[in-house]
Short mmCIF file of all heavy atoms in Angstrom, two decimals:
data_model
loop_
_atom_site.label_atom_id
_atom_site.label_comp_id
_atom_site.label_asym_id
_atom_site.label_seq_id
_atom_site.Cartn_x
_atom_site.Cartn_y
_atom_site.Cartn_z
N LEU A 1 13.53 -16.06 -4.87
CA LEU A 1 13.24 -14.63 -4.16
C LEU A 1 11.82 -14.76 -3.45
O LEU A 1 10.93 -15.48 -3.80
CB LEU A 1 13.07 -13.66 -5.29
CG LEU A 1 14.38 -13.49 -6.25
CD1 LEU A 1 14.05 -12.27 -7.27
CD2 LEU A 1 15.52 -13.12 -5.29
N PRO A 2 11.81 -13.99 -2.35
CA PRO A 2 10.60 -14.05 -1.50
C PRO A 2 9.51 -13.15 -2.10
O PRO A 2 9.50 -12.08 -2.71
CB PRO A 2 10.98 -13.23 -0.28
CG PRO A 2 12.13 -12.40 -0.65
CD PRO A 2 12.83 -13.09 -1.76
N ILE A 3 8.26 -13.83 -2.21
CA ILE A 3 7.07 -13.26 -2.81
C ILE A 3 6.13 -12.66 -1.75
O ILE A 3 5.81 -13.41 -0.80
CB ILE A 3 6.32 -14.11 -3.72
CG1 ILE A 3 7.27 -14.67 -4.75
CG2 ILE A 3 5.16 -13.44 -4.41
CD1 ILE A 3 6.57 -15.89 -5.49
N PRO A 4 5.63 -11.46 -1.71
CA PRO A 4 4.87 -10.94 -0.68
C PRO A 4 3.34 -11.52 -0.74
O PRO A 4 2.95 -11.96 -1.78
CB PRO A 4 4.79 -9.50 -0.86
CG PRO A 4 5.05 -9.33 -2.32
CD PRO A 4 5.96 -10.46 -2.84
N THR A 5 2.64 -11.45 0.32
CA THR A 5 1.26 -11.95 0.38
C THR A 5 0.32 -10.61 -0.01
O THR A 5 0.50 -9.63 0.52
CB THR A 5 0.83 -12.28 1.77
OG1 THR A 5 1.75 -13.51 2.13
CG2 THR A 5 -0.49 -12.80 1.82
N ALA A 6 -0.53 -10.94 -0.95
CA ALA A 6 -1.41 -9.85 -1.43
C ALA A 6 -2.72 -9.83 -0.62
O ALA A 6 -3.13 -10.87 -0.02
CB ALA A 6 -1.75 -10.05 -2.92
N VAL A 7 -3.31 -8.62 -0.36
CA VAL A 7 -4.51 -8.42 0.33
C VAL A 7 -5.63 -8.82 -0.55
O VAL A 7 -5.69 -8.41 -1.68
CB VAL A 7 -4.57 -7.00 0.84
CG1 VAL A 7 -6.02 -6.69 1.50
CG2 VAL A 7 -3.56 -6.60 1.78
N PRO A 8 -6.55 -9.65 -0.12
CA PRO A 8 -7.70 -10.02 -0.94
C PRO A 8 -8.45 -8.75 -1.23
O PRO A 8 -8.64 -7.96 -0.31
CB PRO A 8 -8.51 -11.00 0.01
CG PRO A 8 -7.54 -11.60 0.79
CD PRO A 8 -6.41 -10.51 1.17
N GLU A 9 -8.95 -8.66 -2.41
CA GLU A 9 -9.82 -7.59 -2.86
C GLU A 9 -10.97 -7.24 -1.83
O GLU A 9 -11.16 -6.04 -1.54
CB GLU A 9 -10.48 -7.75 -4.21
CG GLU A 9 -11.00 -6.55 -4.78
CD GLU A 9 -11.42 -6.72 -6.28
OE1 GLU A 9 -11.36 -7.87 -6.79
OE2 GLU A 9 -11.82 -5.60 -6.95
N LYS A 10 -11.60 -8.21 -1.32
CA LYS A 10 -12.70 -7.93 -0.43
C LYS A 10 -12.32 -7.45 0.97
O LYS A 10 -13.11 -6.79 1.64
CB LYS A 10 -13.42 -9.32 -0.20
CG LYS A 10 -12.57 -10.39 0.48
CD LYS A 10 -13.32 -11.70 0.66
CE LYS A 10 -12.47 -12.75 1.40
NZ LYS A 10 -12.03 -12.38 2.69
N ASP A 11 -10.97 -7.49 1.22
CA ASP A 11 -10.43 -6.90 2.60
C ASP A 11 -10.11 -5.49 2.50
O ASP A 11 -9.91 -4.78 3.51
CB ASP A 11 -9.24 -7.64 3.00
CG ASP A 11 -9.75 -9.09 3.50
OD1 ASP A 11 -10.84 -9.40 3.58
OD2 ASP A 11 -8.70 -9.90 3.80
N LEU A 12 -10.09 -4.87 1.26
CA LEU A 12 -9.80 -3.44 1.17
C LEU A 12 -10.95 -2.66 1.62
O LEU A 12 -12.01 -2.70 1.03
CB LEU A 12 -9.39 -3.19 -0.32
CG LEU A 12 -8.06 -3.80 -0.81
CD1 LEU A 12 -7.85 -3.47 -2.35
CD2 LEU A 12 -6.88 -3.22 0.01
N GLN A 13 -10.72 -1.73 2.44
CA GLN A 13 -11.79 -0.77 2.98
C GLN A 13 -11.23 0.56 3.24
O GLN A 13 -10.02 0.72 3.50
CB GLN A 13 -12.37 -1.33 4.27
CG GLN A 13 -12.97 -2.71 4.23
CD GLN A 13 -13.44 -3.09 5.66
OE1 GLN A 13 -13.76 -2.26 6.55
NE2 GLN A 13 -13.59 -4.37 5.83
N VAL A 14 -12.15 1.55 2.94
CA VAL A 14 -11.77 2.91 3.23
C VAL A 14 -11.65 3.12 4.63
O VAL A 14 -12.42 2.56 5.43
CB VAL A 14 -12.84 3.88 2.62
CG1 VAL A 14 -12.57 5.29 3.06
CG2 VAL A 14 -12.89 3.79 1.26
N GLY A 15 -10.58 3.78 5.11
CA GLY A 15 -10.26 4.05 6.52
C GLY A 15 -9.16 3.10 7.12
O GLY A 15 -8.77 3.42 8.24
N MET A 16 -8.88 2.00 6.47
CA MET A 16 -7.80 1.27 6.99
C MET A 16 -6.42 1.76 6.81
O MET A 16 -6.28 2.57 5.95
CB MET A 16 -7.93 -0.23 6.36
CG MET A 16 -7.60 -0.27 4.83
SD MET A 16 -8.01 -1.92 4.06
CE MET A 16 -6.80 -2.98 4.91
N TRP A 17 -5.64 1.32 7.72
CA TRP A 17 -4.20 1.83 7.62
C TRP A 17 -3.51 1.52 6.34
O TRP A 17 -3.81 0.41 5.73
CB TRP A 17 -3.36 1.29 8.72
CG TRP A 17 -3.65 1.82 10.08
CD1 TRP A 17 -4.33 1.26 11.17
CD2 TRP A 17 -3.27 3.07 10.58
NE1 TRP A 17 -4.37 2.06 12.22
CE2 TRP A 17 -3.87 3.28 11.87
CE3 TRP A 17 -2.69 4.21 10.05
CZ2 TRP A 17 -3.66 4.27 12.68
CZ3 TRP A 17 -2.49 5.38 10.76
CH2 TRP A 17 -2.93 5.48 12.03
N SER A 18 -2.77 2.44 5.76
CA SER A 18 -2.00 2.13 4.54
C SER A 18 -0.63 2.63 4.84
O SER A 18 -0.27 3.79 5.40
CB SER A 18 -2.57 2.76 3.38
OG SER A 18 -2.66 4.17 3.57
N ILE A 19 0.46 1.76 4.59
CA ILE A 19 1.80 2.12 4.80
C ILE A 19 2.57 2.15 3.43
O ILE A 19 2.61 1.14 2.72
CB ILE A 19 2.41 1.14 5.70
CG1 ILE A 19 1.57 1.11 7.06
CG2 ILE A 19 3.88 1.58 6.02
CD1 ILE A 19 1.91 -0.09 7.91
N ALA A 20 3.04 3.27 2.95
CA ALA A 20 3.86 3.38 1.72
C ALA A 20 5.24 3.16 1.98
O ALA A 20 5.93 3.88 2.90
CB ALA A 20 3.61 4.73 1.13
N LEU A 21 5.88 2.26 1.30
CA LEU A 21 7.19 1.81 1.49
C LEU A 21 8.10 2.03 0.19
O LEU A 21 7.49 2.04 -0.83
CB LEU A 21 7.31 0.38 1.95
CG LEU A 21 6.50 -0.07 3.22
CD1 LEU A 21 6.55 -1.59 3.36
CD2 LEU A 21 6.94 0.64 4.32
N GLY A 22 9.32 2.28 0.40
CA GLY A 22 10.28 2.42 -0.71
C GLY A 22 11.72 1.89 -0.36
O GLY A 22 12.04 1.92 0.93
N ARG A 23 12.42 1.68 -1.33
CA ARG A 23 13.84 1.22 -1.12
C ARG A 23 14.78 2.18 -1.72
O ARG A 23 14.84 2.30 -3.09
CB ARG A 23 14.07 -0.12 -1.64
CG ARG A 23 15.48 -0.64 -1.64
CD ARG A 23 15.89 -1.12 -0.27
NE ARG A 23 15.08 -2.33 0.03
CZ ARG A 23 14.76 -2.87 1.20
NH1 ARG A 23 15.18 -2.11 2.22
NH2 ARG A 23 14.06 -3.92 1.34
N THR A 24 15.37 3.08 -0.98
CA THR A 24 16.26 4.11 -1.67
C THR A 24 17.71 3.85 -1.20
O THR A 24 18.41 2.95 -1.90
CB THR A 24 15.79 5.50 -1.16
OG1 THR A 24 15.61 5.60 0.28
CG2 THR A 24 14.41 5.86 -1.85
N PHE A 25 18.25 4.54 -0.23
CA PHE A 25 19.65 4.46 0.04
C PHE A 25 19.98 3.40 1.07
O PHE A 25 21.05 2.77 1.02
CB PHE A 25 20.22 5.85 0.48
CG PHE A 25 20.02 6.89 -0.58
CD1 PHE A 25 18.98 7.84 -0.56
CD2 PHE A 25 20.96 6.97 -1.68
CE1 PHE A 25 18.86 8.81 -1.50
CE2 PHE A 25 20.77 7.97 -2.65
CZ PHE A 25 19.73 8.78 -2.44
N GLU A 26 19.04 3.17 2.02
CA GLU A 26 19.31 2.19 3.12
C GLU A 26 18.80 0.84 2.57
O GLU A 26 17.80 0.69 2.15
CB GLU A 26 18.71 2.59 4.31
CG GLU A 26 19.07 3.95 4.84
CD GLU A 26 20.64 3.88 5.29
OE1 GLU A 26 21.06 2.80 5.65
OE2 GLU A 26 21.24 4.95 5.24
N LEU A 27 19.71 -0.12 2.76
CA LEU A 27 19.17 -1.55 2.33
C LEU A 27 18.65 -2.27 3.45
O LEU A 27 17.86 -3.31 3.30
CB LEU A 27 20.37 -2.37 1.58
CG LEU A 27 20.75 -1.89 0.18
CD1 LEU A 27 22.05 -2.74 -0.09
CD2 LEU A 27 19.74 -2.19 -0.72
N ASP A 28 18.96 -1.92 4.63
CA ASP A 28 18.50 -2.78 5.76
C ASP A 28 17.09 -2.47 6.13
O ASP A 28 16.38 -3.31 6.74
CB ASP A 28 19.35 -2.48 7.08
CG ASP A 28 19.35 -1.11 7.39
OD1 ASP A 28 19.19 -0.27 6.51
OD2 ASP A 28 19.72 -0.78 8.55
N GLN A 29 16.54 -1.43 5.84
CA GLN A 29 15.20 -1.03 6.09
C GLN A 29 14.58 -0.03 5.00
O GLN A 29 15.29 0.77 4.49
CB GLN A 29 14.97 -0.48 7.53
CG GLN A 29 15.67 0.87 7.77
CD GLN A 29 15.64 1.30 9.17
OE1 GLN A 29 14.97 0.58 10.03
NE2 GLN A 29 16.08 2.50 9.43
N PRO A 30 13.34 -0.20 4.73
CA PRO A 30 12.71 0.68 3.78
C PRO A 30 12.23 2.07 4.37
O PRO A 30 12.14 2.17 5.57
CB PRO A 30 11.44 -0.15 3.34
CG PRO A 30 11.04 -0.85 4.52
CD PRO A 30 12.37 -1.18 5.21
N SER A 31 12.08 2.98 3.42
CA SER A 31 11.49 4.14 3.89
C SER A 31 9.97 3.93 4.16
O SER A 31 9.33 3.14 3.56
CB SER A 31 11.48 5.26 2.73
OG SER A 31 10.94 4.81 1.62
N ILE A 32 9.46 4.71 5.24
CA ILE A 32 8.06 4.42 5.60
C ILE A 32 7.25 5.83 5.71
O ILE A 32 7.72 6.75 6.15
CB ILE A 32 8.02 3.81 6.99
CG1 ILE A 32 8.83 2.47 7.00
CG2 ILE A 32 6.64 3.62 7.49
CD1 ILE A 32 8.88 1.83 8.54
N SER A 33 6.07 5.72 5.05
CA SER A 33 5.15 6.77 5.13
C SER A 33 3.74 6.21 5.44
O SER A 33 3.22 5.28 4.80
CB SER A 33 5.06 7.68 3.83
OG SER A 33 4.09 8.61 3.94
N VAL A 34 3.08 6.69 6.66
CA VAL A 34 1.92 6.11 7.02
C VAL A 34 0.79 6.92 6.78
O VAL A 34 0.73 8.30 6.85
CB VAL A 34 1.99 5.87 8.52
CG1 VAL A 34 0.82 5.28 9.04
CG2 VAL A 34 3.13 4.94 8.87
N GLY A 35 -0.38 6.47 6.40
CA GLY A 35 -1.62 7.15 6.29
C GLY A 35 -2.81 6.14 6.21
O GLY A 35 -2.73 5.06 6.87
N ILE A 36 -3.94 6.51 5.78
CA ILE A 36 -5.06 5.55 5.52
C ILE A 36 -5.47 5.47 4.10
O ILE A 36 -4.96 6.24 3.31
CB ILE A 36 -6.26 6.01 6.42
CG1 ILE A 36 -6.86 7.50 5.88
CG2 ILE A 36 -5.89 6.21 7.92
CD1 ILE A 36 -8.13 7.89 6.34
N VAL A 37 -6.27 4.49 3.92
CA VAL A 37 -6.89 4.32 2.46
C VAL A 37 -8.09 5.38 2.46
O VAL A 37 -9.08 5.19 3.26
CB VAL A 37 -7.48 2.91 2.33
CG1 VAL A 37 -8.33 2.89 0.95
CG2 VAL A 37 -6.30 2.01 2.13
N SER A 38 -7.97 6.39 1.70
CA SER A 38 -8.97 7.44 1.69
C SER A 38 -9.94 7.17 0.64
O SER A 38 -11.10 7.92 0.68
CB SER A 38 -8.24 8.76 1.56
OG SER A 38 -7.41 8.84 0.35
N ALA A 39 -9.89 6.33 -0.38
CA ALA A 39 -10.84 6.12 -1.30
C ALA A 39 -10.43 4.74 -2.10
O ALA A 39 -9.24 4.44 -2.11
CB ALA A 39 -11.05 7.29 -2.28
N LEU A 40 -11.45 4.12 -2.69
CA LEU A 40 -11.27 2.95 -3.63
C LEU A 40 -11.71 3.26 -4.95
O LEU A 40 -12.60 4.09 -5.09
CB LEU A 40 -11.95 1.71 -3.03
CG LEU A 40 -11.38 1.23 -1.62
CD1 LEU A 40 -12.25 0.12 -1.09
CD2 LEU A 40 -9.93 0.82 -1.64
N GLU A 41 -11.19 2.50 -5.96
CA GLU A 41 -11.63 2.70 -7.34
C GLU A 41 -11.58 4.11 -7.82
O GLU A 41 -12.47 4.55 -8.59
CB GLU A 41 -13.16 2.14 -7.47
CG GLU A 41 -13.24 0.62 -7.22
CD GLU A 41 -14.56 0.16 -7.44
OE1 GLU A 41 -15.44 0.84 -7.81
OE2 GLU A 41 -14.64 -1.13 -7.41
N ARG A 42 -10.56 4.76 -7.49
CA ARG A 42 -10.22 6.04 -8.01
C ARG A 42 -9.59 6.02 -9.33
O ARG A 42 -9.23 4.96 -9.78
CB ARG A 42 -9.33 6.91 -6.98
CG ARG A 42 -10.01 7.37 -5.82
CD ARG A 42 -11.16 8.30 -5.97
NE ARG A 42 -10.86 9.34 -7.02
CZ ARG A 42 -10.37 10.45 -6.58
NH1 ARG A 42 -9.97 10.76 -5.35
NH2 ARG A 42 -10.12 11.43 -7.60
N ILE A 43 -9.52 7.16 -10.02
CA ILE A 43 -8.94 7.26 -11.49
C ILE A 43 -9.71 6.07 -12.24
O ILE A 43 -9.09 5.39 -12.94
CB ILE A 43 -7.44 6.97 -11.42
CG1 ILE A 43 -6.75 7.69 -10.23
CG2 ILE A 43 -6.85 7.34 -12.76
CD1 ILE A 43 -6.71 9.22 -10.42
N TRP A 44 -11.02 6.41 -12.31
CA TRP A 44 -11.90 5.62 -13.18
C TRP A 44 -11.67 4.07 -12.95
O TRP A 44 -11.52 3.35 -13.84
CB TRP A 44 -11.59 5.95 -14.67
CG TRP A 44 -11.65 7.41 -14.82
CD1 TRP A 44 -10.67 8.25 -15.30
CD2 TRP A 44 -12.78 8.38 -14.64
NE1 TRP A 44 -11.03 9.59 -15.26
CE2 TRP A 44 -12.42 9.59 -15.02
CE3 TRP A 44 -14.13 7.94 -14.31
CZ2 TRP A 44 -13.24 10.69 -14.91
CZ3 TRP A 44 -15.00 9.20 -14.23
CH2 TRP A 44 -14.51 10.42 -14.46
N GLY A 45 -11.72 3.84 -11.52
CA GLY A 45 -11.72 2.41 -11.22
C GLY A 45 -10.38 1.71 -11.14
O GLY A 45 -10.38 0.46 -10.81
N LYS A 46 -9.36 2.49 -11.29
CA LYS A 46 -7.96 1.88 -11.47
C LYS A 46 -7.20 1.80 -10.15
O LYS A 46 -6.34 0.99 -10.10
CB LYS A 46 -7.13 2.43 -12.59
CG LYS A 46 -7.77 2.32 -14.11
CD LYS A 46 -6.77 2.60 -15.14
CE LYS A 46 -6.38 4.22 -15.02
NZ LYS A 46 -7.36 4.91 -15.85
N ALA A 47 -7.57 2.65 -9.18
CA ALA A 47 -6.56 2.89 -8.12
C ALA A 47 -7.11 2.95 -6.81
O ALA A 47 -8.32 3.36 -6.53
CB ALA A 47 -5.65 4.11 -8.38
N ILE A 48 -6.15 2.56 -5.82
CA ILE A 48 -6.53 2.92 -4.36
C ILE A 48 -5.97 4.28 -4.17
O ILE A 48 -4.85 4.55 -4.61
CB ILE A 48 -5.79 1.86 -3.40
CG1 ILE A 48 -6.26 0.48 -3.82
CG2 ILE A 48 -5.98 2.19 -1.95
CD1 ILE A 48 -5.28 -0.57 -3.21
#
């Protein structure tokens, strides 16, 4: 199975593009929602 490439922790920055993807009914392409990284280390350091 194909394994994705992870972003190095040092490359994560507030303001960079973030694209939320999901696989629901269509198999040929994922659902797409676009935004930015609005904060790092939220929820007591656990989350982007």
Side-chain angles (χ1 to χ4, degrees):
L1 300 181
I3 305 172
T5 300
V7 176
E9 187 175 10
K10 62 182 178 61
D11 290 355
L12 291 174
Q13 296 181 24
V14 173
M16 66 189 297
W17 286 108
S18 59
I19 306 169
L21 304 174
R23 172 83 66 207
T24 52
F25 298 102
E26 299 295 333
L27 286 177
D28 57 337
Q29 60 183 4
S31 60
I32 300 176
S33 175
V34 178
I36 63 167
V37 172
S38 51
L40 298 173
E41 297 187 351
R42 287 300 312 277
I43 315 295
W44 310 114
K46 293 197 290 281
I48 302 166

